[in-house]
Amino acid sequence: MNGLEAETQFHVLAVDDSIIDRKLIERLLKTSSYQVTAVESGVKALEFLGLLDEEEDDDFSNSNCQRVEVNLIITDYSMPSITGYDLLRKIKKSTSLKDIPVVIMSSENVPSRINSCLEHGAEEFFLKPVRQSDVNKLRPHLMRGKKDIPNINKRKPVEECLSPDRTRTRLNHDLE
Amino acid sequence: MLGLSVEQLRADMNRLLAILFHQGVLDEQFLQLQQLQDESSPNFVSEVVTIYFHESEKLLRNLRALLVDKELSDYKKMGIHLNQLMGSSSSIGAQRLRNVCAAFRAASELNNRPGCLRALELLEYEYCYLKNKLHEFFQIEQQRMLAAAVRYPAPQQHRNNPQG
Protein backbone atom coordinates (compact mmCIF):
# COMPACT_ATOMS: atom_id res chain seq x y z
CA MET A 1 0.00 0.00 0.00
CA ASN A 2 1.51 3.33 -0.93
CA GLY A 3 1.28 6.54 1.06
CA LEU A 4 -1.55 7.96 -1.03
CA GLU A 5 -3.81 5.02 -0.26
CA ALA A 6 -3.08 5.30 3.44
CA GLU A 7 -4.57 8.82 3.47
CA THR A 8 -7.71 7.82 1.64
CA GLN A 9 -10.79 7.33 3.73
CA PHE A 10 -13.55 5.51 1.95
CA HIS A 11 -17.15 6.25 2.73
CA VAL A 12 -19.63 3.42 2.43
CA LEU A 13 -23.39 3.81 2.46
CA ALA A 14 -25.05 0.72 3.95
CA VAL A 15 -28.76 0.08 3.44
CA ASP A 16 -30.70 -2.54 5.42
CA ASP A 17 -34.11 -2.59 7.07
CA SER A 18 -32.90 -5.01 9.75
CA ILE A 19 -31.44 -3.17 12.70
CA ILE A 20 -29.25 -6.13 13.60
CA ASP A 21 -27.85 -6.48 10.11
CA ARG A 22 -27.24 -2.74 10.01
CA LYS A 23 -25.27 -2.94 13.21
CA LEU A 24 -23.32 -5.89 11.89
CA ILE A 25 -22.43 -4.40 8.54
CA GLU A 26 -21.51 -1.13 10.17
CA ARG A 27 -19.11 -2.89 12.52
CA LEU A 28 -17.65 -4.99 9.72
CA LEU A 29 -17.03 -1.90 7.61
CA LYS A 30 -15.57 0.08 10.50
CA THR A 31 -13.06 -2.66 11.33
CA SER A 32 -11.85 -2.22 7.75
CA SER A 33 -11.42 1.47 8.56
CA TYR A 34 -14.20 2.66 6.29
CA GLN A 35 -16.43 5.56 7.16
CA VAL A 36 -19.99 4.31 7.34
CA THR A 37 -23.43 5.77 6.96
CA ALA A 38 -26.12 3.19 7.68
CA VAL A 39 -29.73 3.82 6.68
CA GLU A 40 -32.82 1.72 7.10
CA SER A 41 -34.45 1.97 3.69
CA GLY A 42 -33.97 2.57 0.00
CA VAL A 43 -35.89 5.83 0.35
CA LYS A 44 -33.50 7.08 3.03
CA ALA A 45 -30.60 6.01 0.83
CA LEU A 46 -31.93 7.98 -2.14
CA GLU A 47 -32.48 10.94 0.15
CA PHE A 48 -28.90 10.74 1.36
CA LEU A 49 -27.62 10.46 -2.19
CA GLY A 50 -29.65 13.46 -3.25
CA LEU A 51 -31.65 11.43 -5.74
CA LEU A 52 -35.06 11.69 -4.19
CA ASP A 53 -36.36 14.93 -5.67
CA GLU A 54 -34.17 14.86 -8.72
CA GLU A 55 -34.95 13.74 -12.19
CA GLU A 56 -32.24 11.60 -13.76
CA ASP A 57 -30.65 14.55 -15.45
CA ASP A 58 -28.93 16.89 -13.02
CA ASP A 59 -28.83 20.45 -14.20
CA PHE A 60 -28.67 21.45 -10.56
CA SER A 61 -24.96 21.13 -10.02
CA ASN A 62 -25.22 23.12 -6.79
CA SER A 63 -27.01 20.32 -4.99
CA ASN A 64 -24.33 17.90 -6.18
CA CYS A 65 -21.56 19.93 -4.59
CA GLN A 66 -23.19 19.79 -1.16
CA ARG A 67 -23.60 16.04 -1.18
CA VAL A 68 -21.27 13.86 0.84
CA GLU A 69 -19.10 11.68 -1.34
CA VAL A 70 -20.03 8.02 -1.28
CA ASN A 71 -17.50 5.51 -2.57
CA LEU A 72 -19.60 2.36 -2.37
CA ILE A 73 -23.17 1.37 -1.65
CA ILE A 74 -23.95 -1.94 -0.01
CA THR A 75 -27.63 -2.80 0.22
CA ASP A 76 -29.90 -5.58 1.33
CA TYR A 77 -32.02 -7.03 -1.44
CA SER A 78 -35.32 -7.68 0.37
CA MET A 79 -36.65 -4.51 1.84
CA PRO A 80 -40.20 -3.20 2.14
CA SER A 81 -41.14 -0.47 -0.40
CA ILE A 82 -37.94 -0.01 -2.45
CA THR A 83 -35.91 -3.22 -2.81
CA GLY A 84 -32.14 -3.31 -3.17
CA TYR A 85 -32.69 -4.15 -6.81
CA ASP A 86 -34.85 -1.05 -7.32
CA LEU A 87 -32.19 1.00 -5.61
CA LEU A 88 -29.50 -0.46 -7.85
CA ARG A 89 -31.48 0.41 -10.99
CA LYS A 90 -32.10 3.96 -9.85
CA ILE A 91 -28.44 4.51 -9.03
CA LYS A 92 -27.25 3.11 -12.34
CA LYS A 93 -29.72 5.33 -14.20
CA SER A 94 -28.44 8.45 -12.49
CA THR A 95 -25.81 10.34 -14.43
CA SER A 96 -24.16 11.58 -11.26
CA LEU A 97 -24.20 8.31 -9.32
CA LYS A 98 -23.96 5.51 -11.85
CA ASP A 99 -20.25 5.02 -11.31
CA ILE A 100 -20.56 4.31 -7.60
CA PRO A 101 -20.03 0.58 -7.08
CA VAL A 102 -23.08 -1.19 -5.67
CA VAL A 103 -23.05 -4.46 -3.75
CA ILE A 104 -26.16 -6.47 -2.95
CA MET A 105 -26.69 -8.66 0.13
CA SER A 106 -29.38 -11.28 0.54
CA SER A 107 -30.25 -14.05 2.95
CA GLU A 108 -31.64 -16.09 0.08
CA ASN A 109 -29.65 -17.88 -2.58
CA VAL A 110 -31.79 -17.31 -5.66
CA PRO A 111 -29.68 -17.66 -8.84
CA SER A 112 -32.07 -15.64 -11.03
CA ARG A 113 -32.00 -12.84 -8.48
CA ILE A 114 -28.21 -12.93 -8.31
CA ASN A 115 -27.81 -12.90 -12.07
CA SER A 116 -30.28 -10.09 -12.45
CA CYS A 117 -28.42 -7.91 -9.98
CA LEU A 118 -25.05 -8.60 -11.55
CA GLU A 119 -26.42 -7.99 -15.02
CA HIS A 120 -27.77 -4.62 -13.97
CA GLY A 121 -24.48 -3.43 -12.62
CA ALA A 122 -23.99 -4.78 -9.10
CA GLU A 123 -20.32 -5.49 -8.47
CA GLU A 124 -20.86 -8.28 -5.99
CA PHE A 125 -23.63 -10.31 -4.45
CA PHE A 126 -23.09 -11.45 -0.86
CA LEU A 127 -25.08 -14.12 0.90
CA LYS A 128 -25.99 -13.27 4.47
CA PRO A 129 -24.73 -13.42 7.09
CA VAL A 130 -22.02 -11.20 5.66
CA ARG A 131 -18.54 -11.86 7.03
CA GLN A 132 -15.19 -10.16 7.23
CA SER A 133 -13.97 -12.17 4.23
CA ASP A 134 -16.81 -10.71 2.17
CA VAL A 135 -16.06 -7.16 3.26
CA ASN A 136 -12.42 -7.70 2.30
CA LYS A 137 -13.63 -8.11 -1.28
CA LEU A 138 -14.89 -4.54 -1.35
CA ARG A 139 -11.51 -2.88 -1.45
CA PRO A 140 -10.74 -3.32 -5.18
CA HIS A 141 -14.12 -1.82 -6.05
CA LEU A 142 -13.50 1.11 -3.73
CA MET A 143 -10.05 1.69 -5.16
CA ARG A 144 -11.43 1.74 -8.67
CA GLY A 145 -14.21 4.14 -7.79
CA LYS A 146 -12.20 6.67 -5.82
CA LYS A 147 -9.55 7.43 -8.38
CA ASP A 148 -10.44 7.89 -12.03
CA ILE A 149 -7.59 5.66 -13.10
CA PRO A 150 -7.98 2.78 -15.54
CA ASN A 151 -8.36 -0.28 -13.41
CA ILE A 152 -5.65 -2.42 -14.91
CA ASN A 153 -3.19 -2.51 -12.03
CA LYS A 154 -5.62 -1.99 -9.22
CA ARG A 155 -7.71 -5.10 -9.24
CA LYS A 156 -7.03 -8.54 -7.96
CA PRO A 157 -7.96 -11.27 -10.44
CA VAL A 158 -11.72 -11.42 -10.70
CA GLU A 159 -13.42 -14.55 -9.44
CA GLU A 160 -15.13 -16.89 -11.80
CA CYS A 161 -18.87 -16.46 -11.88
CA LEU A 162 -19.38 -20.13 -11.19
CA SER A 163 -17.32 -20.19 -7.99
CA PRO A 164 -18.92 -22.33 -5.32
CA ASP A 165 -18.42 -19.83 -2.53
CA ARG A 166 -20.90 -17.41 -1.15
CA THR A 167 -20.26 -14.41 -3.33
CA ARG A 168 -20.61 -13.70 -6.99
CA THR A 169 -18.53 -11.13 -8.81
CA ARG A 170 -19.32 -9.44 -12.04
CA LEU A 171 -16.74 -9.99 -14.79
CA ASN A 172 -15.68 -7.56 -17.43
CA HIS A 173 -15.53 -4.27 -15.63
CA ASP A 174 -13.89 -2.89 -18.77
CA LEU A 175 -17.15 -3.12 -20.61
CA GLU A 176 -18.76 -0.45 -18.44
CA MET B 1 -17.18 -14.05 42.70
CA LEU B 2 -13.88 -12.25 42.39
CA GLY B 3 -12.19 -15.23 43.95
CA LEU B 4 -12.60 -17.02 40.63
CA SER B 5 -9.65 -16.58 38.39
CA VAL B 6 -9.71 -15.08 34.94
CA GLU B 7 -8.54 -18.38 33.47
CA GLN B 8 -11.25 -20.34 35.22
CA LEU B 9 -13.95 -17.96 34.05
CA ARG B 10 -12.65 -18.03 30.52
CA ALA B 11 -12.72 -21.82 30.65
CA ASP B 12 -16.32 -21.67 31.87
CA MET B 13 -17.25 -19.42 28.97
CA ASN B 14 -15.60 -21.70 26.48
CA ARG B 15 -17.21 -24.77 27.97
CA LEU B 16 -20.65 -23.18 27.74
CA LEU B 17 -20.05 -22.17 24.15
CA ALA B 18 -18.78 -25.62 23.27
CA ILE B 19 -21.98 -27.15 24.60
CA LEU B 20 -24.11 -24.72 22.62
CA PHE B 21 -22.15 -25.44 19.45
CA HIS B 22 -22.36 -29.15 20.04
CA GLN B 23 -26.12 -28.93 20.51
CA GLY B 24 -26.43 -26.96 17.29
CA VAL B 25 -27.95 -24.06 19.19
CA LEU B 26 -25.23 -21.72 17.97
CA ASP B 27 -23.13 -21.82 14.84
CA GLU B 28 -19.97 -20.26 13.50
CA GLN B 29 -21.62 -16.91 12.94
CA PHE B 30 -21.55 -16.34 16.72
CA LEU B 31 -17.77 -16.62 16.58
CA GLN B 32 -17.75 -14.06 13.79
CA LEU B 33 -19.58 -11.70 16.14
CA GLN B 34 -16.99 -12.27 18.84
CA GLN B 35 -14.21 -11.48 16.41
CA LEU B 36 -15.79 -8.10 15.80
CA GLN B 37 -15.50 -7.25 19.48
CA ASP B 38 -12.38 -5.41 20.53
CA GLU B 39 -11.20 -2.46 22.64
CA SER B 40 -12.98 0.01 20.38
CA SER B 41 -16.21 -1.93 20.66
CA PRO B 42 -15.89 -3.96 23.86
CA ASN B 43 -19.58 -4.78 24.30
CA PHE B 44 -20.41 -5.47 20.70
CA VAL B 45 -21.70 -9.00 21.12
CA SER B 46 -23.94 -8.27 24.09
CA GLU B 47 -25.26 -5.14 22.35
CA VAL B 48 -26.22 -7.06 19.25
CA VAL B 49 -27.70 -9.92 21.23
CA THR B 50 -29.73 -7.51 23.37
CA ILE B 51 -31.23 -5.97 20.24
CA TYR B 52 -31.91 -9.46 18.97
CA PHE B 53 -33.77 -10.38 22.17
CA HIS B 54 -35.99 -7.29 22.00
CA GLU B 55 -36.79 -7.81 18.37
CA SER B 56 -37.40 -11.54 18.72
CA GLU B 57 -39.76 -11.16 21.65
CA LYS B 58 -41.81 -8.69 19.69
CA LEU B 59 -41.93 -11.00 16.67
CA LEU B 60 -42.87 -14.01 18.79
CA ARG B 61 -45.71 -12.05 20.38
CA ASN B 62 -46.92 -10.99 16.93
CA LEU B 63 -46.79 -14.56 15.67
CA ARG B 64 -48.76 -15.86 18.60
CA ALA B 65 -51.37 -13.12 18.17
CA LEU B 66 -51.73 -14.03 14.48
CA LEU B 67 -52.16 -17.72 15.23
CA VAL B 68 -54.58 -17.32 18.11
CA ASP B 69 -57.16 -15.91 15.71
CA LYS B 70 -58.90 -19.09 14.55
CA GLU B 71 -61.14 -17.37 12.04
CA LEU B 72 -58.52 -15.73 9.95
CA SER B 73 -54.88 -16.59 10.16
CA ASP B 74 -52.87 -14.09 8.21
CA TYR B 75 -50.24 -16.45 6.87
CA LYS B 76 -48.71 -13.81 4.71
CA LYS B 77 -48.02 -11.58 7.67
CA MET B 78 -46.69 -14.58 9.55
CA GLY B 79 -44.30 -15.15 6.68
CA ILE B 80 -43.03 -11.59 6.94
CA HIS B 81 -42.40 -11.88 10.68
CA LEU B 82 -40.75 -15.25 10.17
CA ASN B 83 -38.43 -13.92 7.51
CA GLN B 84 -37.36 -11.19 9.90
CA LEU B 85 -36.80 -13.62 12.74
CA MET B 86 -35.01 -16.05 10.48
CA GLY B 87 -32.71 -13.35 9.18
CA SER B 88 -31.75 -11.95 12.55
CA SER B 89 -31.31 -15.42 14.06
CA SER B 90 -29.01 -16.29 11.22
CA SER B 91 -27.08 -13.05 11.68
CA ILE B 92 -26.23 -13.78 15.31
CA GLY B 93 -25.57 -17.47 14.79
CA ALA B 94 -28.75 -18.77 16.42
CA GLN B 95 -28.79 -21.80 14.16
CA ARG B 96 -31.48 -23.84 15.84
CA LEU B 97 -33.91 -20.95 16.04
CA ARG B 98 -33.28 -20.24 12.41
CA ASN B 99 -34.08 -23.81 11.48
CA VAL B 100 -37.30 -23.86 13.48
CA CYS B 101 -38.30 -20.63 11.71
CA ALA B 102 -37.75 -22.38 8.38
CA ALA B 103 -40.04 -25.24 9.41
CA PHE B 104 -42.61 -22.75 10.67
CA ARG B 105 -42.45 -20.86 7.41
CA ALA B 106 -42.99 -24.07 5.44
CA ALA B 107 -46.10 -24.81 7.51
CA SER B 108 -47.41 -21.27 7.07
CA GLU B 109 -46.98 -21.50 3.28
CA LEU B 110 -49.28 -24.52 3.34
CA ASN B 111 -51.76 -22.72 5.62
CA ASN B 112 -51.16 -25.55 8.05
CA ARG B 113 -52.43 -24.12 11.34
CA PRO B 114 -51.65 -27.10 13.60
CA GLY B 115 -48.18 -27.27 12.11
CA CYS B 116 -47.72 -23.56 12.73
CA LEU B 117 -48.87 -23.89 16.33
CA ARG B 118 -46.44 -26.72 16.95
CA ALA B 119 -43.63 -24.75 15.36
CA LEU B 120 -44.45 -21.67 17.44
CA GLU B 121 -44.32 -23.71 20.66
CA LEU B 122 -40.95 -25.06 19.65
CA LEU B 123 -39.77 -21.60 18.68
CA GLU B 124 -40.76 -20.18 22.06
CA TYR B 125 -39.04 -23.03 23.85
CA GLU B 126 -35.84 -22.70 21.86
CA TYR B 127 -35.86 -18.97 22.32
CA CYS B 128 -36.12 -19.31 26.11
CA TYR B 129 -33.29 -21.78 26.15
CA LEU B 130 -31.05 -19.58 24.05
CA LYS B 131 -31.84 -16.48 26.07
CA ASN B 132 -31.04 -18.22 29.34
CA LYS B 133 -27.78 -19.63 28.04
CA LEU B 134 -26.62 -16.36 26.54
CA HIS B 135 -27.47 -14.49 29.74
CA GLU B 136 -25.36 -17.02 31.57
CA PHE B 137 -22.58 -16.48 29.05
CA PHE B 138 -22.61 -12.71 29.43
CA GLN B 139 -22.70 -12.98 33.22
CA ILE B 140 -19.55 -15.07 33.18
CA GLU B 141 -17.98 -12.64 30.74
CA GLN B 142 -18.75 -9.74 33.05
CA GLN B 143 -17.21 -11.57 35.97
CA ARG B 144 -14.14 -12.30 33.90
CA MET B 145 -13.76 -8.65 32.97
CA LEU B 146 -14.14 -7.63 36.59
CA ALA B 147 -11.61 -10.21 37.70
CA ALA B 148 -9.18 -9.07 35.00
CA ALA B 149 -9.62 -5.42 36.06
CA VAL B 150 -8.91 -6.25 39.67
CA ARG B 151 -5.87 -8.23 38.66
CA TYR B 152 -4.40 -5.51 36.48
CA PRO B 153 -5.45 -2.32 38.21
CA ALA B 154 -2.58 -0.17 36.91
CA PRO B 155 -3.43 2.05 33.94
CA GLN B 156 -0.33 1.00 32.01
CA GLN B 157 -1.30 -2.52 31.12
CA HIS B 158 0.85 -4.78 29.08
CA ARG B 159 -1.33 -5.39 26.06
CA ASN B 160 0.39 -8.58 25.11
CA ASN B 161 0.11 -10.19 28.52
CA PRO B 162 -0.54 -13.85 27.78
CA GLN B 163 -2.68 -14.22 30.87
CA GLY B 164 -5.16 -11.52 29.74
Side-chain angles (χ1 to χ4, degrees):
Chain A
M1 293 254 182
N2 61 37
L4 183 62
E5 288 176 31
E7 286 160 19
T8 313
Q9 251 243 305
F10 293 117
H11 181 203
V12 179
L13 175 65
V15 191
D16 202 317
D17 60 318
S18 158
I19 183 173
I20 286 173
D21 288 345
R22 252 193 336 273
K23 199 161 161 81
L24 252 176
I25 193 72
E26 193 172 2
R27 183 79 201 126
L28 277 166
L29 290 166
K30 281 186 174 162
T31 55
S32 298
S33 303
Y34 301 138
Q35 230 183 317
V36 187
T37 299
V39 297
E40 62 188 3
S41 70
V43 174
K44 292 255 159 81
L46 291 172
E47 222 169 61
F48 186 82
L49 294 164
L51 264 189
L52 207 51
D53 299 319
E54 240 174 63
E55 293 300 309
E56 286 156 23
D57 185 18
D58 22 308
D59 292 328
F60 310 103
S61 47
N62 284 337
S63 58
N64 290 354
C65 292
Q66 251 119 33
R67 240 190 290 125
V68 179
E69 190 189 359
V70 169
N71 305 118
L72 185 134
I73 298 163
I74 180 163
T75 175
D76 187 26
Y77 184 94
S78 308
M79 296 188 289
S81 78
I82 301 183
T83 66
Y85 177 77
D86 298 327
L87 186 59
L88 168 70
R89 299 300 304 270
K90 282 195 203 285
I91 289 164
K92 292 302 169 187
K93 281 187 185 144
S94 156
T95 41
S96 53
L97 301 175
K98 64 177 170 51
D99 292 325
I100 301 180
V102 180
V103 170
I104 312 277
M105 309 178 277
S106 177
S107 49
E108 289 168 298
N109 191 346
V110 180
S112 57
R113 175 187 292 187
I114 298 173
N115 286 329
S116 188
C117 288
L118 294 174
E119 273 163 31
H120 286 101
E123 306 292 338
E124 301 263 1
F125 192 102
F126 294 161
L127 280 179
K128 284 182 167 183
V130 176
R131 300 174 182 180
Q132 193 63 60
S133 54
D134 299 320
V135 172
N136 294 343
K137 293 180 177 154
L138 298 178
R139 192 157 282 268
H141 302 299
L142 283 158
M143 297 299 304
R144 200 171 354 101
K146 185 85 170 178
K147 302 161 195 172
D148 284 318
I149 299 168
N151 41 22
I152 303 163
N153 299 320
K154 297 291 177 185
R155 281 181 294 126
K156 294 189 286 199
V158 175
E159 290 166 79
E160 287 235 79
C161 259
L162 297 175
S163 84
D165 66 4
R166 299 161 53 257
T167 69
R168 292 276 300 279
T169 309
R170 189 164 60 98
L171 300 174
N172 300 327
H173 295 288
D174 306 317
L175 296 180
E176 277 168 40
Chain B
M1 292 289 174
L2 291 177
L4 287 171
S5 70
V6 171
E7 292 82 8
Q8 212 169 321
L9 289 164
R10 185 189 288 282
D12 287 344
M13 281 172 73
N14 289 336
R15 199 177 313 124
L16 177 53
L17 275 187
I19 291 169
L20 293 173
F21 282 118
H22 182 73
Q23 291 174 327
V25 170
L26 288 179
D27 65 23
E28 201 222 336
Q29 178 62 14
F30 190 80
L31 293 176
Q32 295 278 326
L33 286 190
Q34 285 188 297
Q35 281 171 27
L36 289 172
Q37 184 164 291
D38 61 18
E39 311 85 45
S40 68
S41 197
N43 301 310
F44 180 72
V45 183
S46 66
E47 282 167 13
V48 175
V49 170
T50 302
I51 296 172
Y52 173 76
F53 286 155
H54 285 155
E55 207 184 78
S56 303
E57 276 161 39
K58 200 171 52 176
L59 290 168
L60 286 169
R61 275 199 300 274
N62 291 346
L63 284 165
R64 188 154 274 286
L66 286 168
L67 268 174
V68 156
D69 188 346
K70 282 188 193 146
E71 297 307 310
L72 180 71
S73 282
D74 192 337
Y75 291 105
K76 191 175 174 208
K77 224 181 213 172
M78 263 185 246
I80 293 172
H81 291 323
L82 283 168
N83 282 339
Q84 245 184 295
L85 188 54
M86 233 171 111
S88 51
S89 298
S90 169
S91 291
I92 69 148
Q95 180 180 253
R96 235 204 242 165
L97 268 169
R98 190 220 155 268
N99 290 341
V100 178
C101 283
F104 194 153
R105 189 171 69 174
S108 76
E109 280 162 6
L110 295 170
N111 293 9
N112 175 1
R113 192 163 173 274
C116 286
L117 278 165
R118 275 197 299 275
L120 179 58
E121 301 258 318
L122 189 53
L123 208 52
E124 286 166 344
Y125 172 82
E126 290 292 343
Y127 173 76
C128 280
Y129 183 76
L130 177 69
K131 189 172 178 183
N132 285 338
K133 290 299 166 190
L134 286 179
H135 270 157
E136 201 181 313
F137 177 79
F138 291 129
Q139 269 180 328
I140 305 173
E141 188 182 50
Q142 269 193 321
Q143 287 172 32
R144 184 183 63 86
M145 282 163 64
L146 274 172
V150 164
R151 200 169 171 181
Y152 306 113
Q156 306 103 305
Q157 292 182 25
H158 293 288
R159 273 177 171 269
N160 295 324
N161 191 313
Q163 291 162 324

